[in-house]
């Protein structure tokens, strides 16, 4: 099974270290293989280094693709994570 979702990064600082770490933590809960695509770059969604290499700033459009038996759940939860409020309260 394959699922995909396209999202726009809304976090004001983009997909920097802390959101990337949260993303990897959630991605690793799933058995599915997960990749993130930004423009012509494709990285492993379970690798923090890969995600940081994307340099996904606010407004960047990315595609999340999951392949495996829990693919739909993975894409939904990861999309919700990136479109939710990831900024710490001040």
């Amino acid at each position: 099974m394959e699922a995909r979702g396209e999202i726009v990064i809304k976090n004001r600082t983009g997909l920097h270290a802390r959101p990337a770490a949260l993303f990897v933590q959630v991605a690793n809960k799933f058995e599915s293989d997960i990749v993130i695509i930004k423009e012509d770059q494709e990285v492993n969604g379970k690798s923090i280094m890969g995600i940081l290499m994307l340099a996904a700033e606010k407004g960047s459009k990315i595609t999340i693709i999951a392949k495996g038996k829990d693919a739909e759940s993975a894409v939904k939860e990861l999309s919700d994570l990136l479109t939710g409020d990831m900024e710490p309260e001040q």
Side-chain angles (χ1 to χ4, degrees), residues 60-71:
S60 298
K61 184 177 178 181
I62 65 169
T63 302
I64 301 169
I65 300 173
K67 294 179 182 174
K69 68 179 185 180
D70 54 3

Side-chain angles (χ1 to χ4, degrees), residues 6-21:
E6 291 186 0
I7 65 163
V8 175
I9 303 293
K10 295 182 177 176
N11 184 3
R12 67 180 164 85
T13 56
L15 197 48
H16 62 86
R18 194 178 68 76

